[in-house]
Amino acid sequence: MILHVNHVQPDRTALTTSVVSTLLTVAGEGQVSRRTLDNLNVHLDWVQYKTNFREAVSVRRATKGEELLPWIEVGVDLRQVRQETLKEEFVHALNDVGADATGSRKRIYLEPFAPMRCSLIWTFNKLFWQHRPLWEKATGRGFEKALPTGQSDANHPLAIADSVADVWTLLKDLENQKQLPPEIFVLEIGVGTGQRAALWLNRFRDLDRERGTQYYPRIRFLLADYSVTTLDAAQQTVQDHRELASFLAVDALDPFKSLSFLRYKVLYIHLTNVYDNLPTDELVTRDGRLYFVEVRSYVSFGEAARISETFSVPPAEFTRTVNRLLEAGPQHLSLSDVQQSVGFWRAVWDAIRLEERFVAIEGVSEAPLPPGIRPSQLENFIANAATNQRFHVSSGALESFINTVPLLHPRGYLQVQDIFVTDLADYPRMFRGPGKMDGSIVNWVNGALLAEVGEQAGYDVHFAPFHYREGSRTSILYTTHRE
């Protein structure tokens, strides 16, 4: 057995020591077969998201085709683990690792194994953004209140002031060179409540008046989001600037599809916490071998029974009711009322976990990469990965990035505020997702890979710290055409 201590909270060292002692006791008592222990890797993590997709003890197997490989990995979440039951859970998990063990795991599987970006959890994520007002009414709070600070960094006044100043400086430089276009296109993707757009336009209008440059009337501010509900709310928020604003239904994975008429025209594109909410995949390197992570979502028998009883859903109809929720929305479930339907939705989301497996591949060309990403763009990057490492491919972020930068004016730039891993070596230092944020999903974004792909595509990509809030883990990505 090989033990990996990936991340330990400073005030949890006693717990970690106790967990390690329990695991070593199990290994020495003969309750687990020697063959299992010889092929076992145990990873101790601290999963910082209070709600996530992991059990306290999770087993992950490796496969190659139809063959189940000897390597076994167990993840222990120090945040969830209960010392009094750990030994029993650990023994049960390790004695339940065979190919024929699925039936004994007492789980209701909602889907077959698939790459993570294709999982059902992303349908739940989309459901949240489409019906967010219903969720917020049930919880009694807006989505931003679920964030660690209770508010979005997108709306920080100093960050907005600096953003406006940077754009104004760019416009002034273009004007001095007689290159300023008659229409100044600004694009925000993932507009949330519209508050950032309103604050940005307020500040830009004030600065423009102060300096007498008459840029403000030429602004064409495009607010883009795939949720019509979100766009409707944003429209009310920016009504003071309604003559300059347009509201567009845009898929964040492929902005160019809807906005191709703006190729090479947008001077400033902004996103905040969009990339971390897009579908992602994961790759694993172990002892010189490469694996692709596949997942399948499930709800335990016990949780499914509890939810069924609470919401008067026949147990045999549980899976069908979940599928109906995802297909038609909470308003169309055959429960007593919408409030009950939203309650069912929230309970199921809270109960969903992911079972993972590692699929052995010979090279990146065998990995199911997102559209527009070539294996060659990842090969050099993966070659620099550590011998034993797990990291996000950030499929959705990569897809969005390569489908956004063609919109940039030759002097324009893309600015993204998000939680980036800018150095591949930082991945093992803490859990990077997926986690749950209200009814949505959050993952750290592989910024190092984004920079690699951007460089190969002819763009300069660099990162700056978000220094406007002490202790913030947000970084700011800047992308420009390479000169």
Side-chain angles (χ1 to χ4, degrees):
M1 179 175 72
I2 300 175
L3 185 63
H4 305 261
V5 182
N6 296 330
H7 183 63
V8 179
Q9 293 288 93
D11 59 344
R12 296 292 190 274
T13 53
L15 171 63
T16 305
T17 301
S18 179
V19 168
V20 171
S21 176
T22 299
L23 299 182
L24 293 176
T25 298
V26 170
E29 287 182 343
Q31 298 186 59
V32 178
S33 73
R34 174 52 54 186
R35 185 173 185 275
T36 296
L37 291 174
D38 287 345
N39 292 287
L40 180 62
N41 281 254
V42 178
H43 289 258
L44 302 187
D45 289 301
W46 177 271
V47 179
Q48 71 270 29
Y49 300 103
K50 292 181 179 179
T51 55
N52 57 76
F53 298 96
R54 290 193 175 185
E55 305 278 7
V57 178
S58 304
V59 176
R60 300 181 274 268
R61 295 302 309 265
T63 66
K64 185 176 183 180
E66 298 299 319
E67 178 188 1
L68 193 63
L69 301 179
W71 170 40
I72 303 169
E73 183 172 292
V74 171
V76 178
D77 178 12
L78 294 173
R79 183 170 195 152
Q80 294 188 68
V81 74
R82 291 185 299 167
Q83 190 61 41
E84 64 272 17
T85 61
L86 173 61
K87 184 176 180 180
E88 178 184 351
E89 289 181 74
F90 192 63
V91 171
H92 177 74
L94 290 179
N95 287 326
D96 191 28
V97 296
D100 58 349
T102 297
S104 67
R105 290 177 184 158
K106 298 181 180 180
R107 297 171 177 176
I108 295 178
Y109 291 101
L110 303 177
E111 60 183 339
F113 274 115
M116 185 177 289
R117 76 170 185 273
C118 301
S119 172
L120 201 69
I121 63 173
W122 298 105
T123 310
F124 273 96
N125 186 70
K126 186 174 183 178
L127 185 76
F128 173 76
W129 294 112
Q130 289 175 329
H131 301 282
R132 193 181 72 185
L134 291 175
W135 184 286
E136 292 178 340
K137 182 179 179 181
T139 61
R141 66 180 187 184
F143 169 72
E144 291 187 357
K145 295 298 182 183
L147 298 171
T149 61
Q151 58 186 352
S152 172
D153 283 338
N155 304 325
H156 196 289
L158 294 180
I160 289 174
D162 283 350
S163 169
V164 167
D166 289 344
V167 172
W168 186 92
T169 300
L170 171 63
L171 300 183
K172 186 63 176 176
D173 186 53
L174 288 170
E175 184 179 47
N176 290 340
Q177 298 181 41
K178 302 187 184 307
Q179 296 177 354
L180 185 64
E183 293 183 303
I184 301 167
F185 287 101
V186 173
L187 171 63
E188 182 173 342
I189 301 173
V191 299
T193 63
Q195 185 178 359
R196 183 190 183 277
L199 293 171
W200 195 95
L201 284 164
N202 288 344
R203 176 62 182 166
F204 190 90
R205 180 181 57 194
D206 293 344
L207 184 64
D208 187 52
R209 287 174 178 172
E210 176 187 323
R211 298 181 177 178
T213 44
Q214 294 298 308
Y215 298 149
Y216 172 77
R218 297 164 68 175
I219 291 287
R220 301 294 177 263
F221 200 106
L222 310 176
L223 292 89
D225 203 288
Y226 75 77
S227 169
V228 175
T229 301
T230 297
L231 290 173
D232 288 344
Q235 189 169 7
Q236 297 300 314
T237 307
V238 299
Q239 58 183 340
D240 288 349
H241 308 277
R242 56 186 176 274
E243 293 182 358
L244 309 183
S246 298
F247 303 86
L248 305 170
V250 171
D251 182 358
L253 291 173
D254 191 1
F256 188 77
K257 182 177 181 180
S258 301
L259 303 174
S260 58
F261 64 96
L262 292 174
R263 180 195 285 266
Y264 305 139
K265 291 184 179 180
V266 185
L267 281 162
Y268 173 52
I269 303 175
H270 178 87
L271 301 88
T272 294
N273 296 124
V274 172
Y275 283 2
D276 66 10
N277 188 239
L278 295 178
T280 188
D281 289 306
E282 292 187 70
L283 287 173
V284 176
T285 59
R286 290 288 187 267
D287 301 322
R289 296 290 303 271
L290 186 62
Y291 301 85
F292 198 83
V293 179
E294 289 190 336
V295 302
R296 57 178 173 180
S297 57
Y298 68 89
V299 175
S300 70
F301 280 179
E303 283 297 296
R306 181 188 63 80
I307 294 169
S308 295
E309 181 179 2
T310 300
F311 297 98
S312 301
V313 173
E317 293 292 305
F318 178 80
T319 301
R320 190 194 69 80
T321 306
V322 172
N323 290 333
R324 177 65 177 168
L325 167 69
L326 297 177
E327 292 168 1
Q331 301 97 323
H332 301 287
L333 288 186
S334 55
L335 302 185
S336 58
D337 55 33
V338 173
Q339 184 177 351
Q340 281 286 95
S341 297
V342 174
F344 176 83
W345 168 22
R346 293 179 60 215
V348 170
W349 178 243
D350 187 60
I352 284 179
R353 299 292 182 267
L354 289 178
E355 184 176 311
E356 300 175 330
R357 71 178 181 184
F358 302 146
V359 179
I361 54 178
E362 294 301 322
V364 182
S365 61
E366 293 185 15
L369 300 177
I373 300 298
R374 303 184 305 275
S376 60
Q377 292 175 297
L378 273 72
E379 285 170 349
N380 290 338
F381 181 83
I382 291 173
N384 294 323
T387 304
N388 293 289
Q389 195 164 28
R390 177 173 177 167
F391 55 88
H392 292 108
V393 178
S394 297
S395 316
L398 285 173
E399 191 175 347
S400 179
F401 178 85
I402 63 175
N403 289 323
T404 299
V405 288
L407 300 172
L408 285 175
H409 183 280
R411 291 287 306 280
Y413 64 96
L414 167 68
Q415 179 191 61
V416 183
Q417 289 179 201
D418 224 313
I419 43 176
F420 290 104
V421 182
T422 58
D423 187 336
L424 191 60
D426 288 339
Y427 259 102
R429 295 174 183 170
M430 64 181 291
F431 179 76
R432 305 290 182 174
K436 298 177 185 177
M437 188 71 69
D438 258 13
S440 71
I441 300 170
V442 60
N443 278 289
W444 284 66
V445 182
N446 193 333
L449 180 55
L450 272 174
E452 175 79 16
V453 171
E455 181 180 348
Q456 292 184 33
Y459 295 88
D460 285 326
V461 179
H462 68 275
F463 298 89
F466 187 84
H467 57 78
Y468 305 96
R469 178 171 61 83
E470 186 177 357
S472 174
R473 289 177 170 171
T474 297
S475 300
I476 307 175
L477 172 150
Y478 292 94
T479 302
T480 57
H481 289 273
R482 187 180 303 141
E483 296 181 358

